[in-house]
Structures are given as C-alpha cells and as structure tokens.
Amino acid sequence: MQLPHFKLERYFARYEFAVEHLLCCSDCESFTVEDLLALEPGAGDRFREHWLGYTESQGSPRLRRAISRLYRTISPDDVLVHTGAEEAIFLFMHAVLQPDDHVIVHWPCYQSLEEVALGIGCEVTRWKAREDDGWALDLEELVDHLRPETKVVVVNLPHNPTGYLMGRERFLEMTDILRARGIALFSDEVYRESEYHAEDRLPAACDVYERAVSLGVTSKSYGLAGLRIGWIATRAPLVLERMAALKDYTTICNSAPSEFLAEVALRHREELAQRSVEIITENLQLLDTFFDQHDDVFAWQRPVAGPIGFPRLLTGNSEAFCDRLVKEAGVLLLPGPVFDDEGNHVRIGFGRKDMDIGLARLVSFLENAPA
C-alpha cells in the first residue's frame, strides 16, 4: 500500500522540539517516572526489579486486567495492547477491511483514521461535523451515507480537533442504526475521561455494541504519552484474533517498562484524569477571556471535552498565520490544512500547565501584528 505523508506528524516533526511554546498539543501535562511511582507504595522497588525480557504479545495479564476495569463488559481476554493508538488503528483497518469496502469516517479527523482505509483501496465517505451546530454530527446524514458495502463507521468521541462530544441518546441511537445493518463501529475514545462534567461521559462503545472496537491510550487524559501504550477492547473475537496475528508483523510485543508503568497509572487513573481536567478547566477560563477579547480575529466554538479546540481565523490564511506565529513569536498552533480543513481553522491545545505563557506570547503577537 502507498500512504501519503502524515501532514500533522510531519508538521510536528518540523517544529515540536524546536519551538519555545507549544499551544497546539493534544495530550495533557505529563509526569516524571518518579512522580508516577510515588503514587503507589513499593512501586519503585518493583520497577527496579522488573524483568526486561520480551512481554506477552497480547499485553501482560496484569495490564490487560487493569485496562478491562475501564469497561463494564470487557474481560482481560477482550483486550489487545499496542504501541500507542497509531498501531491499533493501522492493524484494525488491515484486519477488517478489503479493497472496495466502504468506510464512513467522522471528519475532520486524525489522518490515519481515513488514510489507512484509502491505502487499502477502500472508498471513504467523510461524515462531516457541523461547525454551525457546535461541531455536531447529524444521524440522518449517517443513514444517507450508508451503502450495502459499508463495512465500518469510524467515530472519535470526545473529538480531535474540535472538542465535540455526542449526547448519550444520540450515541445509543447511532449504535442501533449500525446494529440493525451489521456494520462495525471503530470508536476512537482516546480522550475519554477528559470530559469537563463527568455526567457527560459516554459509555464505551464496546460496552453497548457487540461489533464495536474501543480504542484507548495512556497518552491523552492520563498525560503519559511517552509510555507509548494503547489498546483496543472489543467483544468481537475474530477482530481481536486477526489484529493479534497482524501485530506479529509490527511490534510483536510492547516495552516491558512501559507496560509496568501503564499498569501503575491505570490503577490511579481517576487521580491522573482529575489532575488533567483541573488543568484543562483552568486554562479554558483563560481562553474564554482571550477569545472574548479577540472576537475580531477568531470565532470560537467552546469545546465540551478534551484538551483541544478548533477556532476559526476570521481574517487572513491559517497556514500563513501559523507560519508567522512560530517564526516571529516562537508559538506553535496547528493550521487546519493538516486536517484537510479548508475552513481557515487552527487547533489550539490547553492541557498543559504552561499554556498561559504561550497564550501571552500569542496576545503580544496579535497586538504587534501589522494592521
């Protein structure tokens, strides 16, 4: 298969570790290894004694047990651990799809959620979020998009890059639509547990639909991107079996230290997620003030979950704006075209403690920009 450049990742490769202020990151504030081990008495000693041989391909039993506790209906045997979310996306698409299958993808999206299917030879229809309706998805449009050859519907909730979260009733109605037609659901849930109000949290797709695959990671809500641990949870055994067999051709197994640390983290996930939400909500207050004061520059749809938003630049061009901002102010925003967006949006991230510094630089840049 031939895959084009991953626009977002190439953009990050160019700037992420060379710029002073990251104002576009999708993950939350991280920890040191020492911070994480301090959450649990004796964890430091166990970590130093941890065996550095190969791990089980499916993931260590203890880690899969910890992951399974995120769900209501999932056992450890229903979990497959991966190196981050990207490997899981890639393997799912190859396990389930054939050339000429039809896939419907929640859009805008993380590029691999549609690009891998296109590379396989599938036809992809974008199920477009509506900015004028708070970035909502229209279920009538979903039904209109469905075909006899539709194999998978892909959703990302909470959503990257807009921060949208579907309501519970609409979410369950969506799964009923797919169940009636026997269509699989791939549910990217990497921002789950970063809802600003816990009562808004959706059930995991794998818990409410037997043909759903739920994707999770330690990277986003828990702030542990450096562990590179992701997973899928599903009650569809054939999908899990096929993905496990394909994993023999990618990473085979995961990092033993990362699996240990992820296991510790998941035992304390509520504490980690709460810390992230506190940072997010504090930063959102700063952003509310910023966008109120600069409503001649940006149109802001306030997110309802997650550490990211997708404001629209009202004048100029988003790519040129972001290019000037990073070069003149040392602040990185993501221009919409890395998501194939033509609506002049930029992605802003607010899950890190130092967001206020980058935001102050952005304010100074706007104040000193030529009229």
Side-chain angles (χ1 to χ4, degrees):
M1 68 184 301
Q2 297 294 319
L3 292 172
H5 282 175
F6 202 125
K7 296 176 185 178
L8 181 150
E9 299 299 345
R10 288 299 88 206
Y11 200 85
F12 269 132
R14 182 179 177 187
Y15 291 118
E16 184 175 8
F17 295 100
V19 72
E20 292 178 77
H21 302 288
L22 295 167
L23 202 54
C24 59
C25 291
S26 61
D27 57 327
C28 293
E29 185 76 19
S30 196
F31 301 81
T32 66
V33 173
E34 184 178 12
D35 291 336
L36 184 58
L37 293 173
L39 294 173
E40 192 169 287
D45 290 337
R46 295 198 307 276
F47 185 55
R48 284 186 288 272
E49 296 167 358
H50 195 61
W51 182 252
L52 294 180
Y54 287 118
T55 62
E56 294 188 28
S57 179
Q58 192 172 349
S60 77
R62 291 172 62 95
L63 176 56
R64 286 185 284 118
R65 190 177 307 117
I67 291 170
S68 70
R69 291 178 180 138
L70 299 171
Y71 309 100
R72 292 189 297 102
T73 65
I74 295 297
S75 75
D77 288 339
D78 299 325
V79 173
L80 180 62
V81 183
H82 294 85
T83 300
E86 189 69 87
E87 182 187 30
I89 294 167
F90 190 87
L91 295 186
F92 169 81
M93 299 292 182
H94 280 84
V96 171
L97 298 173
Q98 298 290 332
D100 299 323
D101 284 340
H102 179 235
V103 181
I104 297 171
V105 179
H106 181 178
W107 188 87
C109 67
Y110 190 61
Q111 188 172 336
S112 59
L113 290 172
E114 67 171 350
E115 204 69 69
V116 177
L118 287 169
I120 291 169
C122 300
E123 187 171 350
V124 173
T125 297
R126 290 175 170 178
W127 184 15
K128 296 183 180 180
R130 296 184 170 190
E131 182 181 11
D132 60 359
D133 191 23
W135 294 110
L137 294 169
D138 187 325
L139 293 182
E140 291 184 3
E141 284 186 4
L142 172 63
V143 173
D144 290 342
H145 290 325
L146 293 173
R147 307 176 187 173
E149 65 272 23
T150 303
K151 196 72 167 288
V152 176
V153 171
V154 177
V155 294
N156 171 210
L157 300 165
H159 184 237
N160 171 19
T162 68
Y164 165 73
L165 182 61
M166 188 179 284
R168 178 179 294 259
E169 289 186 10
R170 186 177 295 188
F171 179 74
L172 295 176
E173 185 179 350
M174 177 187 68
T175 61
D176 286 342
I177 290 169
L178 301 184
R179 180 182 288 107
R181 295 162 176 80
I183 297 170
L185 174 65
F186 186 81
S187 182
D188 180 343
E189 299 167 6
V190 299
Y191 296 98
R192 196 161 179 259
E193 296 191 283
S194 66
E195 302 85 1
Y196 311 152
H197 304 287
E199 60 270 21
D200 293 336
R201 185 169 305 146
L202 294 175
C206 62
D207 280 330
V208 297
Y209 181 33
E210 60 280 1
R211 297 200 63 189
V213 174
S214 290
L215 174 69
V217 288
T218 58
S219 307
K220 308 301 184 184
S221 303
Y222 308 137
L224 295 168
L227 294 185
R228 306 303 302 134
I229 292 292
W231 61 85
I232 60 102
T234 183
R235 289 180 286 151
L238 186 57
V239 172
L240 193 145
E241 180 182 326
R242 288 175 176 171
M243 290 181 67
L246 287 171
K247 191 183 173 192
D248 295 339
Y249 284 93
T250 54
T251 58
I252 302 176
C253 65
N254 308 296
S255 158
S258 287
E259 286 202 347
F260 179 95
L261 294 171
E263 180 193 334
V264 172
L266 288 174
R267 282 198 292 269
H268 301 273
R269 65 184 178 83
E270 292 181 356
E271 180 180 344
L272 302 187
Q274 180 59 35
R275 171 184 182 263
S276 294
V277 170
E278 288 173 0
I279 294 170
I280 287 168
T281 53
E282 183 176 335
N283 284 337
L284 261 177
Q285 294 176 19
L286 298 178
L287 287 177
D288 286 340
T289 299
F290 169 81
F291 285 116
D292 281 346
Q293 293 175 346
H294 297 89
D295 58 0
D296 58 330
V297 180
F298 295 102
W300 172 239
Q301 290 274 5
R302 197 179 198 269
V304 296
I308 44 181
F310 208 43
R312 178 162 43 90
L313 187 66
L314 296 176
T315 58
N317 171 275
S318 66
E319 283 188 285
F321 177 85
C322 291
D323 186 65
R324 283 189 54 220
L325 180 65
V326 72
K327 290 177 179 176
E328 297 177 21
V331 174
L332 188 64
L333 290 174
L334 276 180
V338 302
F339 294 95
D340 267 1
D341 168 73
E342 297 179 354
N344 217 35
H345 298 90
V346 297
R347 189 179 81 179
I348 191 164
F350 42 91
R352 298 190 177 183
K353 287 184 176 180
D354 64 351
M355 189 210 74
D356 58 327
I357 303 174
L359 191 63
R361 285 282 192 98
L362 174 57
V363 169
S364 178
F365 173 81
L366 292 174
E367 289 175 348
N368 291 291

